Amino acid sequence: PSADIMAPVALSITFQYLQICRGIQTEYMLEPAGSHGVWGLDDYHCVPFYIGACQIQNVFYKDASGGCFDRPSCIHDDSVLIHSEESDSMLYFTCIRYIKSLKKGVPFFESSPMLNDIGQLSNWAKVSGGLLRLFEGEVLDKKPVVQHFVFGDIFKASWNPSESEREAPSITFKHDPHQIDSVAPWAK
């Protein structure tokens, strides 16, 4: 399928998925396993921000309130972010709104420092490019995460591992520079 067909499908599926996830998270007051780990961009999601940035990468909107969506810094303008009809159809903005609704009373730069920093970039192309690199580096390159993905004809695993297996050190740390090396119990 072409990008013209796949883009609306990806947006539609992601919007629906997020509604289900957010409903479960709010109903059962779920907290993320680790806000500063692989999914550190947001407590729950990483991919929607990338898809949302791609959605508005080459499209600039001017809403009725006079706010512009052409710069990533508009995420800091609540009047544009919350009271704009166009922002309802923008995945990136709905994700930001959700975070701000969960973390009321907390400054955005404290609750979401990475998203706050991303908002300082000059254009959406830089945002989407950076988010893709972040996703590749923090998700796809991590074996503990990728090992649970189901690969097939649609999502192919056709790459070679980037790292060799890690080995435990044969010598433990020295506490004293004049001390003789201690051999680790597992060393041969």
Side-chain angles (χ1 to χ4, degrees), residues 141-144 147 160-169:
D141 286 347
K142 306 290 186 198
K143 185 177 179 183
Q147 71 183 351
N160 295 325
S162 58
E163 290 186 16
S164 59
E165 289 291 321
R166 294 187 177 151
E167 296 179 17

Side-chain angles (χ1 to χ4, degrees), residues 105-119:
V106 179
F108 190 67
F109 69 89
E110 285 182 15
S111 69
S112 303
M114 190 178 292
L115 288 169
N116 184 64
D117 292 345
I118 289 170

Side-chain angles (χ1 to χ4, degrees), residues 12 58-59 108 127 140 185:
S12 176
N58 294 317
V59 181
F108 190 67
V127 172
L140 295 179

